[in-house]
Amino acid sequence: MNSINRRSVLLAGLGAAGAGALAACTNASGSGSGTALINPDASAVAATEKKRKSTGRQQKVTLTAAPARIDLGGGVMPKTWAFDGRTPGKEVRLSVGDTLVAELSNQLPNKTTTSIHWHGIALRNDMDGVPPTTQTAVRAGSTFTYKFVADAPGTYFFHPHVGVQLDRGLYAPLIVEDPKETLAYDDEWVVLLDDWVDGVTGTPDEVFAELRQGMGGMDMGDGSSPSSSGMEGHDMGDMGGMDMGGDSASPSASASSSGGMSMKFMLMGAESDLLGGDAGDVKYPHHLINGRVATDPDVYTGKPGKKVRLRIINAGGDTAYRVALGGHKLTITHTDGFPVQHQEVDALLVGMGERYDVLVTLGDGVFPLVAVAEGKDANGFALVRTGSGSAPKPTVRPKELNGMIMTASQLRAADGVRFETAKTDVTHQLKLTGGMEKYNWAINGKPFDMADPEANPIMIEEGQRVRLDFVNDTDMWHPMHLHGHTYQLGTSGPRKDTAIVLPKKKLSVFFDADNPGQWMLHCHNAYHGEAGMMANVAYPA
């Protein structure tokens, strides 16, 4: 039984009772470590929330998750799930210290449960939106109100944390403005990147069902495997008659004459030097910038000489993007909400869940903003227009894409946000394990079980300086995201909540245990996380 089904069984009949009842229930049995874990609505969680600097102002929004037919441009109008009938959802913007009061109304079909995770925000645990750990999933026809202080400025976004709903249209930017902002610029442009499959070639659930079968049973017709037959560089989406062996679990898969199934979604041969090899698992028919396909792009209109802040967010499920603005240099100012020492670059590499803020001084003309789907021979495309001229073709590849590309590991935290030197109190080694053969992605060889989220927790205690050593034993890169905290890469690197761990490499990060609760740590590849590359970082009761 895959984890989608485990979750649906667990949550059936629980209703929308709120975090406390569920947390109390799960803690009654204790954790797999033998240590009782803190409840997400415990007094220590409330006490930490009271310490956050608050303006006393409230920003109220209502978010309705429901089926919608959306216009992606170019005649592409898929059926999907979206907030309030649009993708991306409407931007939520507030000032640092404001309290967000967001009512989620679940109008999804077929008794589908959902939630909202506020990606990157260090908020109170019972508002983190992770069923069943921090709340009961919101049932269809029900509502749940999230209320928390947003006390750190920056570029964030929000999305569900149930199954692979992240790879539908349920996401939107969340911008927390700093009234003491020291950056000088004339305008902002939020640039939201996404890889799109839903309602075009299938659904994310169908994608996951196909991937879960792995490649171990793949039959090339002569008893050979894909690698031994020289098929590594072929796109599986074009191999409709391939017999994969085993049961045909995917409702989208067409059975071959031999009783196997065609691989409709799996992508092979996606290679990237920047990502250390295998770039991704999934073949996407479209790559979007601000909800528009490349042939009918979003257009930013400005004036020459003006300085614009781009807030770049990768909301994709399986794709890293290499981003450049033709004819321009980009100055990196922030990553994942936190300021860095400014660096001028030609292009950025943005993994799923990562955000970068950059400044650019606009030239005179029409310029392509290109987000190359790294290793996938496809791209998202938008335009910046400041004067006359014809638009470049969507297939354009600005030279900047092959210029200076600075990744997060090369950046340095700004002086004001760098962690003070402190002795490390606890170190946890987290081996990233698994592969495409069995699609058994995990941490320390143990796939996370959503039906038993308190088994094998990573224990930390309030006040500790924590070191996490990500050791990637796999042949693929993983963007590792920690909820409820930001960590620092090394001793002076940037403050982040999502960082790329390259294959066969080690990445050490540090954070202060200052936000009691139970917090997910997982790969932000939607399919790797759902398959089991996830863990519970928990404080004791």
Side-chain angles (χ1 to χ4, degrees):
M1 182 180 292
N2 69 43
S3 53
I4 293 177
N5 291 332
R6 287 201 307 269
R7 181 181 290 107
S8 62
V9 169
L10 178 68
L11 298 176
L14 284 175
L22 180 61
C25 176
T26 56
N27 274 282
S29 59
S31 72
S33 67
T35 302
L37 307 185
I38 192 169
N39 288 338
D41 62 348
S43 58
V45 172
T48 300
E49 179 75 351
K50 287 184 178 179
K51 294 177 185 177
R52 303 187 199 279
K53 294 181 180 179
S54 172
T55 63
R57 295 190 301 263
Q58 291 190 351
Q59 173 86 298
K60 295 183 178 182
V61 297
T62 299
L63 300 164
T64 301
R69 182 178 289 277
I70 61 171
D71 183 0
L72 300 180
V76 181
M77 298 187 67
K79 291 181 179 179
T80 186
W81 299 345
F83 290 122
D84 304 303
R86 52 177 286 181
T87 297
K90 185 178 179 181
E91 174 188 296
V92 174
R93 187 175 285 256
L94 62 163
S95 290
V96 65
D98 289 356
T99 297
L100 182 63
V101 182
E103 182 184 79
L104 168 63
S105 174
N106 181 1
Q107 301 301 322
L108 297 175
N110 303 322
K111 299 183 179 179
T112 302
T113 61
T114 193
S115 72
I116 296 179
H117 168 57
W118 310 92
H119 183 107
I121 298 285
L123 76 176
R124 55 182 300 151
N125 191 221
D126 54 352
M127 295 291 115
D128 195 43
V130 182
T133 304
T134 68
Q135 70 170 95
T136 304
V138 183
R139 292 190 307 174
S142 298
T143 63
F144 184 89
T145 299
Y146 296 89
K147 184 178 181 181
F148 58 88
V149 175
D151 66 347
T155 301
Y156 307 98
F157 71 116
F158 56 92
H159 59 78
H161 218 282
V162 172
V164 288
Q165 291 179 16
L166 166 66
D167 217 14
R168 294 186 186 258
L170 292 162
Y171 58 84
L174 172 62
I175 310 300
V176 183
E177 295 182 326
D178 187 352
K180 299 179 181 179
E181 180 61 70
T182 58
L183 281 184
Y185 53 93
D186 301 300
D187 198 11
E188 283 191 17
W189 185 27
V190 177
V191 177
L192 209 153
L193 313 174
D194 188 27
D195 41 19
W196 191 273
V197 65
D198 196 30
V200 179
T201 55
T203 69
D205 293 307
E206 292 168 357
V207 173
F208 185 62
E210 181 180 293
L211 293 173
R212 285 288 282 180
Q213 296 181 84
M215 294 169 57
M218 189 178 294
D219 182 0
M220 300 301 296
D222 59 359
S224 64
S225 68
S227 57
S228 64
S229 62
M231 300 299 285
E232 299 97 324
H234 287 262
D235 186 337
M236 295 302 297
D238 297 327
M239 301 181 186
M242 186 173 293
D243 181 0
M244 296 303 298
D247 295 329
S248 181
S250 169
S252 70
S254 57
S256 70
S257 58
S258 60
M261 61 171 289
S262 65
M263 297 308 292
K264 186 175 181 180
F265 306 109
M266 186 182 289
L267 180 67
M268 297 183 68
E271 295 288 327
S272 164
D273 290 340
L274 275 178
L275 295 173
D278 190 353
D281 300 340
V282 181
K283 178 182 180 181
Y284 288 93
H286 299 292
H287 295 273
L288 311 180
I289 296 182
N290 291 340
R292 306 294 292 182
V293 297
T295 55
D296 192 359
D298 187 37
V299 179
Y300 173 83
T301 303
K303 294 182 178 180
K306 295 295 185 181
K307 186 175 288 187
V308 179
R309 179 180 190 168
L310 307 185
R311 296 181 182 264
I312 301 169
I313 303 167
N314 185 350
D318 179 73
T319 307
Y321 290 100
R322 188 189 310 199
V323 182
L325 178 60
H328 293 77
K329 297 280 190 179
L330 306 174
T331 299
I332 303 174
T333 64
H334 297 72
T335 180
D336 292 1
F338 282 80
V340 297
Q341 295 178 8
H342 291 192
Q343 293 287 344
E344 187 177 79
V345 300
D346 293 305
L348 294 168
L349 178 68
V350 190
M352 295 84 77
E354 287 191 294
R355 294 92 60 212
Y356 283 89
D357 291 22
V358 302
L359 293 179
V360 58
T361 301
L362 299 180
D364 189 357
V366 185
F367 305 97
L369 181 74
V370 177
V372 169
E374 187 67 23
K376 294 188 175 184
D377 193 27
N379 66 276
F381 178 77
L383 290 173
V384 172
R385 181 180 289 277
T386 65
S388 60
S390 58
K393 294 182 179 179
T395 53
V396 67
R397 293 291 189 271
K399 62 180 177 60
E400 287 80 6
L401 288 167
N402 295 315
M404 179 187 286
I405 305 169
M406 187 164 286
T407 57
S409 61
Q410 299 166 282
L411 297 172
R412 293 293 175 263
D415 291 343
V417 299
R418 190 181 302 115
F419 282 145
E420 294 182 3
T421 302
K423 179 179 69 72
T424 299
D425 297 301
V426 61
T427 299
H428 291 283
Q429 185 181 87
L430 304 173
K431 287 188 176 182
L432 311 181
T433 58
M436 291 294 292
E437 182 81 5
K438 298 180 180 179
Y439 216 77
N440 56 343
W441 305 108
I443 293 177
N444 292 332
K446 297 178 180 178
F448 187 73
D449 186 355
M450 193 60 76
D452 189 11
E454 294 194 4
N456 305 305
I458 298 168
M459 297 301 300
I460 62 176
E461 294 184 15
E462 191 166 5
Q464 288 183 329
R465 171 66 57 87
V466 182
R467 172 174 170 167
L468 303 178
D469 289 338
F470 296 109
V471 180
N472 189 349
D473 282 348
T474 79
D475 293 323
M476 193 171 179
W477 68 287
H478 302 284
M480 298 304 296
H481 174 51
L482 174 63
H483 291 209
H485 305 76
T486 62
Y487 49 65
Q488 184 169 285
L489 274 58
T491 56
S492 60
R495 293 276 300 276
K496 290 179 66 64
D497 54 70
T498 310
I500 291 173
V501 186
L502 294 174
K504 306 303 180 183
K505 299 293 185 181
K506 174 182 173 181
L507 177 68
S508 295
V509 304
F510 299 83
F511 69 94
D512 289 331
D514 57 5
N515 198 13
Q518 298 184 46
W519 303 102
M520 291 297 101
L521 171 68
H522 63 94
C523 178
H524 219 269
N525 181 309
Y527 302 97
H528 293 183
E530 184 65 9
M533 190 172 277
M534 188 178 299
N536 185 355
V537 177
Y539 293 65

